[in-house]
Amino acid sequence: MKKNIFYMSSVIFFLIPVLLLILKSITAPWRSGNLPDWTLRGWETVFQDSRVIESMAITLGIALAVALINLIVGIPVAKALSHRSFKLKNTLEVLLLLPLFLPVIAAAMGLHITMIRLGLANTWIGVTIVHLVPTIPYTIKVLKAGYDRIPQDMLNQGRMLKAGVWHAFRTIELPLLIPSIRSAIFLAVTISAGQYVLTAIIGGGSVITMPIIYYPFLQSADDTVMSAFSVAFVLIPAAAVLIAEAAAMALAGRLFIKRRSIQ
């Protein structure tokens, strides 16, 4: 029963809106009772700007870099918060969530000065670093929930069997963290790909991502063009998730082959 409710909810709240968005991107605006007029004008308008393809590639690259850094930083922090006891632990958890309550423009202006001093303003590296501010708190929260589901006894068994830190992580923690890692990657990529203010201020117009091109079209009253841009925008996190899944499968296959060769 619960599965049926989940599938029905997925169709109603995700699949149908996406299909309607795709339909609107290839039809002229129409009223109920009239047949739609098929057109590719929206997509032609999107790709008339030669920067669109390049901006999609830049956005995807930055989003993947942000997701990778989020995992590198988030996994050890989440493990410490979940399976370690130390003073001011609750205070630290609250402090890690503070960037979510900080106004974006305030964070961007403060970080812009720092980026200028470090020579990272108007570069994709600076944009990648500043995108960590709104993404890392979510990643830590999601991964901590994943570690909370791993019993401490299971981790202790790895130590009792003399497993190294990396071996224990790869064979015990990583398989159990896969759902949380998927969620963290999706959140980090989606948030990074949708950043306009941080990218505009830190990138200074030199780093052209999809939101820089997309948001000016929000003033357009043309539903066909807006729908085409929205569908193109959705392709970025979808591509990032597919790349991450392919990388994970390749890594898992490589580790399996290595294990078989050792045996």
PDB file of all heavy atoms in Angstrom, residues 70-76 78-79 82 138-149 177 180-182 184:
ATOM      1  N   ASN A  70      32.097  18.436  -1.412  1.00  0.00           N
ATOM      2  CA  ASN A  70      31.107  18.228  -0.349  1.00  0.00           C
ATOM      3  C   ASN A  70      31.255  16.849   0.279  1.00  0.00           C
ATOM      4  O   ASN A  70      31.187  16.704   1.504  1.00  0.00           O
ATOM      5  CB  ASN A  70      29.693  18.398  -0.907  1.00  0.00           C
ATOM      6  CG  ASN A  70      29.172  19.804  -0.751  1.00  0.00           C
ATOM      7  OD1 ASN A  70      28.453  20.118   0.190  1.00  0.00           O
ATOM      8  ND2 ASN A  70      29.556  20.681  -1.670  1.00  0.00           N
ATOM      9  N   LEU A  71      31.460  15.828  -0.548  1.00  0.00           N
ATOM     10  CA  LEU A  71      31.617  14.473  -0.022  1.00  0.00           C
ATOM     11  C   LEU A  71      32.919  14.326   0.752  1.00  0.00           C
ATOM     12  O   LEU A  71      32.957  13.697   1.819  1.00  0.00           O
ATOM     13  CB  LEU A  71      31.573  13.454  -1.168  1.00  0.00           C
ATOM     14  CG  LEU A  71      30.236  13.302  -1.891  1.00  0.00           C
ATOM     15  CD1 LEU A  71      30.350  12.274  -3.005  1.00  0.00           C
ATOM     16  CD2 LEU A  71      29.137  12.905  -0.926  1.00  0.00           C
ATOM     17  N   ILE A  72      33.995  14.906   0.220  1.00  0.00           N
ATOM     18  CA  ILE A  72      35.299  14.806   0.890  1.00  0.00           C
ATOM     19  C   ILE A  72      35.257  15.465   2.266  1.00  0.00           C
ATOM     20  O   ILE A  72      35.799  14.940   3.246  1.00  0.00           O
ATOM     21  CB  ILE A  72      36.398  15.441   0.014  1.00  0.00           C
ATOM     22  CG1 ILE A  72      36.587  14.617  -1.265  1.00  0.00           C
ATOM     23  CG2 ILE A  72      37.715  15.551   0.784  1.00  0.00           C
ATOM     24  CD1 ILE A  72      37.527  15.250  -2.271  1.00  0.00           C
ATOM     25  N   VAL A  73      34.590  16.606   2.351  1.00  0.00           N
ATOM     26  CA  VAL A  73      34.495  17.316   3.627  1.00  0.00           C
ATOM     27  C   VAL A  73      33.389  16.738   4.497  1.00  0.00           C
ATOM     28  O   VAL A  73      33.557  16.575   5.719  1.00  0.00           O
ATOM     29  CB  VAL A  73      34.238  18.824   3.381  1.00  0.00           C
ATOM     30  CG1 VAL A  73      33.995  19.548   4.699  1.00  0.00           C
ATOM     31  CG2 VAL A  73      35.419  19.446   2.646  1.00  0.00           C
ATOM     32  N   GLY A  74      32.260  16.398   3.892  1.00  0.00           N
ATOM     33  CA  GLY A  74      31.076  16.019   4.658  1.00  0.00           C
ATOM     34  C   GLY A  74      31.164  14.661   5.316  1.00  0.00           C
ATOM     35  O   GLY A  74      30.657  14.477   6.435  1.00  0.00           O
ATOM     36  N   ILE A  75      31.806  13.678   4.667  1.00  0.00           N
ATOM     37  CA  ILE A  75      31.834  12.318   5.219  1.00  0.00           C
ATOM     38  C   ILE A  75      32.556  12.265   6.568  1.00  0.00           C
ATOM     39  O   ILE A  75      31.995  11.752   7.547  1.00  0.00           O
ATOM     40  CB  ILE A  75      32.442  11.332   4.206  1.00  0.00           C
ATOM     41  CG1 ILE A  75      31.442  11.102   3.062  1.00  0.00           C
ATOM     42  CG2 ILE A  75      32.815  10.016   4.865  1.00  0.00           C
ATOM     43  CD1 ILE A  75      31.970  10.234   1.939  1.00  0.00           C
ATOM     44  N   PRO A  76      33.791  12.772   6.691  1.00  0.00           N
ATOM     45  CA  PRO A  76      34.433  12.703   8.014  1.00  0.00           C
ATOM     46  C   PRO A  76      33.737  13.543   9.076  1.00  0.00           C
ATOM     47  O   PRO A  76      33.666  13.141  10.245  1.00  0.00           O
ATOM     48  CB  PRO A  76      35.861  13.212   7.747  1.00  0.00           C
ATOM     49  CG  PRO A  76      35.790  13.953   6.465  1.00  0.00           C
ATOM     50  CD  PRO A  76      34.711  13.314   5.673  1.00  0.00           C
ATOM     51  N   ALA A  78      30.481  14.294   9.194  1.00  0.00           N
ATOM     52  CA  ALA A  78      29.240  13.601   9.553  1.00  0.00           C
ATOM     53  C   ALA A  78      29.521  12.403  10.449  1.00  0.00           C
ATOM     54  O   ALA A  78      28.780  12.135  11.410  1.00  0.00           O
ATOM     55  CB  ALA A  78      28.510  13.157   8.288  1.00  0.00           C
ATOM     56  N   LYS A  79      30.589  11.671  10.170  1.00  0.00           N
ATOM     57  CA  LYS A  79      30.940  10.512  10.994  1.00  0.00           C
ATOM     58  C   LYS A  79      31.307  10.943  12.409  1.00  0.00           C
ATOM     59  O   LYS A  79      30.901  10.306  13.393  1.00  0.00           O
ATOM     60  CB  LYS A  79      32.103   9.748  10.363  1.00  0.00           C
ATOM     61  CG  LYS A  79      32.484   8.491  11.128  1.00  0.00           C
ATOM     62  CD  LYS A  79      33.609   7.747  10.434  1.00  0.00           C
ATOM     63  CE  LYS A  79      33.982   6.484  11.206  1.00  0.00           C
ATOM     64  NZ  LYS A  79      35.081   5.737  10.531  1.00  0.00           N
ATOM     65  N   SER A  82      28.202  11.922  14.295  1.00  0.00           N
ATOM     66  CA  SER A  82      27.305  10.808  14.569  1.00  0.00           C
ATOM     67  C   SER A  82      27.871   9.810  15.568  1.00  0.00           C
ATOM     68  O   SER A  82      27.139   9.306  16.430  1.00  0.00           O
ATOM     69  CB  SER A  82      26.968  10.078  13.261  1.00  0.00           C
ATOM     70  OG  SER A  82      26.120   8.975  13.497  1.00  0.00           O
ATOM     71  N   TYR A 138      23.864  21.125   4.025  1.00  0.00           N
ATOM     72  CA  TYR A 138      22.919  20.079   3.634  1.00  0.00           C
ATOM     73  C   TYR A 138      23.628  18.720   3.539  1.00  0.00           C
ATOM     74  O   TYR A 138      23.086  17.690   3.967  1.00  0.00           O
ATOM     75  CB  TYR A 138      22.280  20.414   2.287  1.00  0.00           C
ATOM     76  CG  TYR A 138      21.285  21.536   2.340  1.00  0.00           C
ATOM     77  CD1 TYR A 138      21.575  22.773   1.792  1.00  0.00           C
ATOM     78  CD2 TYR A 138      20.032  21.359   2.924  1.00  0.00           C
ATOM     79  CE1 TYR A 138      20.657  23.817   1.828  1.00  0.00           C
ATOM     80  CE2 TYR A 138      19.102  22.387   2.959  1.00  0.00           C
ATOM     81  CZ  TYR A 138      19.430  23.612   2.420  1.00  0.00           C
ATOM     82  OH  TYR A 138      18.520  24.631   2.460  1.00  0.00           O
ATOM     83  N   THR A 139      24.824  18.715   2.951  1.00  0.00           N
ATOM     84  CA  THR A 139      25.557  17.462   2.794  1.00  0.00           C
ATOM     85  C   THR A 139      25.876  16.836   4.143  1.00  0.00           C
ATOM     86  O   THR A 139      25.693  15.623   4.343  1.00  0.00           O
ATOM     87  CB  THR A 139      26.859  17.704   2.014  1.00  0.00           C
ATOM     88  OG1 THR A 139      26.543  18.194   0.706  1.00  0.00           O
ATOM     89  CG2 THR A 139      27.662  16.429   1.876  1.00  0.00           C
ATOM     90  N   ILE A 140      26.344  17.646   5.078  1.00  0.00           N
ATOM     91  CA  ILE A 140      26.663  17.125   6.405  1.00  0.00           C
ATOM     92  C   ILE A 140      25.420  16.575   7.086  1.00  0.00           C
ATOM     93  O   ILE A 140      25.448  15.505   7.709  1.00  0.00           O
ATOM     94  CB  ILE A 140      27.321  18.225   7.263  1.00  0.00           C
ATOM     95  CG1 ILE A 140      28.692  18.583   6.689  1.00  0.00           C
ATOM     96  CG2 ILE A 140      27.451  17.783   8.720  1.00  0.00           C
ATOM     97  CD1 ILE A 140      29.366  19.753   7.383  1.00  0.00           C
ATOM     98  N   LYS A 141      24.310  17.287   6.954  1.00  0.00           N
ATOM     99  CA  LYS A 141      23.064  16.845   7.589  1.00  0.00           C
ATOM    100  C   LYS A 141      22.599  15.522   6.997  1.00  0.00           C
ATOM    101  O   LYS A 141      22.176  14.605   7.731  1.00  0.00           O
ATOM    102  CB  LYS A 141      21.993  17.917   7.392  1.00  0.00           C
ATOM    103  CG  LYS A 141      20.817  17.811   8.349  1.00  0.00           C
ATOM    104  CD  LYS A 141      21.228  18.158   9.757  1.00  0.00           C
ATOM    105  CE  LYS A 141      20.031  18.150  10.699  1.00  0.00           C
ATOM    106  NZ  LYS A 141      20.436  18.366  12.102  1.00  0.00           N
ATOM    107  N   VAL A 142      22.652  15.388   5.683  1.00  0.00           N
ATOM    108  CA  VAL A 142      22.198  14.157   5.022  1.00  0.00           C
ATOM    109  C   VAL A 142      23.117  12.987   5.371  1.00  0.00           C
ATOM    110  O   VAL A 142      22.654  11.881   5.683  1.00  0.00           O
ATOM    111  CB  VAL A 142      22.142  14.365   3.493  1.00  0.00           C
ATOM    112  CG1 VAL A 142      21.916  13.040   2.782  1.00  0.00           C
ATOM    113  CG2 VAL A 142      21.041  15.350   3.135  1.00  0.00           C
ATOM    114  N   LEU A 143      24.434  13.220   5.317  1.00  0.00           N
ATOM    115  CA  LEU A 143      25.374  12.140   5.613  1.00  0.00           C
ATOM    116  C   LEU A 143      25.346  11.749   7.084  1.00  0.00           C
ATOM    117  O   LEU A 143      25.547  10.575   7.422  1.00  0.00           O
ATOM    118  CB  LEU A 143      26.786  12.560   5.197  1.00  0.00           C
ATOM    119  CG  LEU A 143      27.005  12.721   3.693  1.00  0.00           C
ATOM    120  CD1 LEU A 143      28.406  13.237   3.413  1.00  0.00           C
ATOM    121  CD2 LEU A 143      26.780  11.402   2.967  1.00  0.00           C
ATOM    122  N   LYS A 144      25.105  12.700   7.956  1.00  0.00           N
ATOM    123  CA  LYS A 144      24.986  12.370   9.383  1.00  0.00           C
ATOM    124  C   LYS A 144      23.800  11.445   9.620  1.00  0.00           C
ATOM    125  O   LYS A 144      23.881  10.491  10.412  1.00  0.00           O
ATOM    126  CB  LYS A 144      24.833  13.639  10.222  1.00  0.00           C
ATOM    127  CG  LYS A 144      24.718  13.359  11.728  1.00  0.00           C
ATOM    128  CD  LYS A 144      24.523  14.627  12.517  1.00  0.00           C
ATOM    129  CE  LYS A 144      24.380  14.319  13.997  1.00  0.00           C
ATOM    130  NZ  LYS A 144      23.204  13.472  14.284  1.00  0.00           N
ATOM    131  N   ALA A 145      22.693  11.712   8.927  1.00  0.00           N
ATOM    132  CA  ALA A 145      21.541  10.824   9.036  1.00  0.00           C
ATOM    133  C   ALA A 145      21.888   9.426   8.545  1.00  0.00           C
ATOM    134  O   ALA A 145      21.412   8.422   9.103  1.00  0.00           O
ATOM    135  CB  ALA A 145      20.371  11.393   8.246  1.00  0.00           C
ATOM    136  N   GLY A 146      22.740   9.342   7.517  1.00  0.00           N
ATOM    137  CA  GLY A 146      23.179   8.036   7.030  1.00  0.00           C
ATOM    138  C   GLY A 146      24.042   7.311   8.044  1.00  0.00           C
ATOM    139  O   GLY A 146      23.878   6.104   8.269  1.00  0.00           O
ATOM    140  N   TYR A 147      24.960   8.043   8.675  1.00  0.00           N
ATOM    141  CA  TYR A 147      25.817   7.429   9.699  1.00  0.00           C
ATOM    142  C   TYR A 147      25.016   7.047  10.940  1.00  0.00           C
ATOM    143  O   TYR A 147      25.367   6.089  11.636  1.00  0.00           O
ATOM    144  CB  TYR A 147      26.956   8.371  10.074  1.00  0.00           C
ATOM    145  CG  TYR A 147      28.204   8.160   9.271  1.00  0.00           C
ATOM    146  CD1 TYR A 147      28.620   9.096   8.327  1.00  0.00           C
ATOM    147  CD2 TYR A 147      28.978   7.018   9.450  1.00  0.00           C
ATOM    148  CE1 TYR A 147      29.772   8.896   7.584  1.00  0.00           C
ATOM    149  CE2 TYR A 147      30.130   6.813   8.711  1.00  0.00           C
ATOM    150  CZ  TYR A 147      30.533   7.753   7.777  1.00  0.00           C
ATOM    151  OH  TYR A 147      31.669   7.539   7.039  1.00  0.00           O
ATOM    152  N   ASP A 148      23.958   7.785  11.238  1.00  0.00           N
ATOM    153  CA  ASP A 148      23.128   7.447  12.401  1.00  0.00           C
ATOM    154  C   ASP A 148      22.479   6.074  12.236  1.00  0.00           C
ATOM    155  O   ASP A 148      22.148   5.420  13.238  1.00  0.00           O
ATOM    156  CB  ASP A 148      22.038   8.507  12.607  1.00  0.00           C
ATOM    157  CG  ASP A 148      22.607   9.818  13.132  1.00  0.00           C
ATOM    158  OD1 ASP A 148      23.724   9.805  13.676  1.00  0.00           O
ATOM    159  OD2 ASP A 148      21.917  10.860  12.995  1.00  0.00           O
ATOM    160  N   ARG A 149      22.293   5.634  10.994  1.00  0.00           N
ATOM    161  CA  ARG A 149      21.674   4.330  10.737  1.00  0.00           C
ATOM    162  C   ARG A 149      22.690   3.184  10.775  1.00  0.00           C
ATOM    163  O   ARG A 149      22.299   2.015  10.668  1.00  0.00           O
ATOM    164  CB  ARG A 149      20.955   4.342   9.390  1.00  0.00           C
ATOM    165  CG  ARG A 149      19.737   5.261   9.343  1.00  0.00           C
ATOM    166  CD  ARG A 149      18.921   5.036   8.088  1.00  0.00           C
ATOM    167  NE  ARG A 149      19.654   5.427   6.891  1.00  0.00           N
ATOM    168  CZ  ARG A 149      19.613   6.630   6.340  1.00  0.00           C
ATOM    169  NH1 ARG A 149      18.876   7.584   6.899  1.00  0.00           N
ATOM    170  NH2 ARG A 149      20.309   6.910   5.256  1.00  0.00           N
ATOM    171  N   LEU A 177      26.192   3.780   3.094  1.00  0.00           N
ATOM    172  CA  LEU A 177      26.002   5.219   2.903  1.00  0.00           C
ATOM    173  C   LEU A 177      25.529   5.586   1.499  1.00  0.00           C
ATOM    174  O   LEU A 177      25.264   6.764   1.240  1.00  0.00           O
ATOM    175  CB  LEU A 177      27.308   5.972   3.188  1.00  0.00           C
ATOM    176  CG  LEU A 177      27.719   6.154   4.646  1.00  0.00           C
ATOM    177  CD1 LEU A 177      29.093   6.816   4.714  1.00  0.00           C
ATOM    178  CD2 LEU A 177      26.702   6.990   5.405  1.00  0.00           C
ATOM    179  N   SER A 180      22.461   7.831   1.130  1.00  0.00           N
ATOM    180  CA  SER A 180      22.724   9.186   1.616  1.00  0.00           C
ATOM    181  C   SER A 180      23.655   9.943   0.679  1.00  0.00           C
ATOM    182  O   SER A 180      23.487  11.142   0.466  1.00  0.00           O
ATOM    183  CB  SER A 180      23.329   9.130   3.030  1.00  0.00           C
ATOM    184  OG  SER A 180      22.433   8.539   3.941  1.00  0.00           O
ATOM    185  N   ILE A 181      24.633   9.238   0.117  1.00  0.00           N
ATOM    186  CA  ILE A 181      25.566   9.881  -0.821  1.00  0.00           C
ATOM    187  C   ILE A 181      24.819  10.321  -2.077  1.00  0.00           C
ATOM    188  O   ILE A 181      25.060  11.417  -2.605  1.00  0.00           O
ATOM    189  CB  ILE A 181      26.719   8.921  -1.168  1.00  0.00           C
ATOM    190  CG1 ILE A 181      27.643   8.759   0.049  1.00  0.00           C
ATOM    191  CG2 ILE A 181      27.515   9.435  -2.364  1.00  0.00           C
ATOM    192  CD1 ILE A 181      28.746   7.743  -0.144  1.00  0.00           C
ATOM    193  N   ARG A 182      23.902   9.483  -2.566  1.00  0.00           N
ATOM    194  CA  ARG A 182      23.093   9.874  -3.728  1.00  0.00           C
ATOM    195  C   ARG A 182      22.310  11.152  -3.432  1.00  0.00           C
ATOM    196  O   ARG A 182      22.266  12.072  -4.251  1.00  0.00           O
ATOM    197  CB  ARG A 182      22.124   8.749  -4.096  1.00  0.00           C
ATOM    198  CG  ARG A 182      22.749   7.573  -4.807  1.00  0.00           C
ATOM    199  CD  ARG A 182      21.670   6.740  -5.471  1.00  0.00           C
ATOM    200  NE  ARG A 182      22.234   5.562  -6.124  1.00  0.00           N
ATOM    201  CZ  ARG A 182      22.174   4.334  -5.645  1.00  0.00           C
ATOM    202  NH1 ARG A 182      21.569   4.115  -4.491  1.00  0.00           N
ATOM    203  NH2 ARG A 182      22.696   3.319  -6.300  1.00  0.00           N
ATOM    204  N   ALA A 184      22.964  13.426  -1.167  1.00  0.00           N
ATOM    205  CA  ALA A 184      23.875  14.551  -0.985  1.00  0.00           C
ATOM    206  C   ALA A 184      24.368  15.093  -2.326  1.00  0.00           C
ATOM    207  O   ALA A 184      24.444  16.311  -2.531  1.00  0.00           O
ATOM    208  CB  ALA A 184      25.070  14.127  -0.118  1.00  0.00           C
TER     209      ALA A 184
END
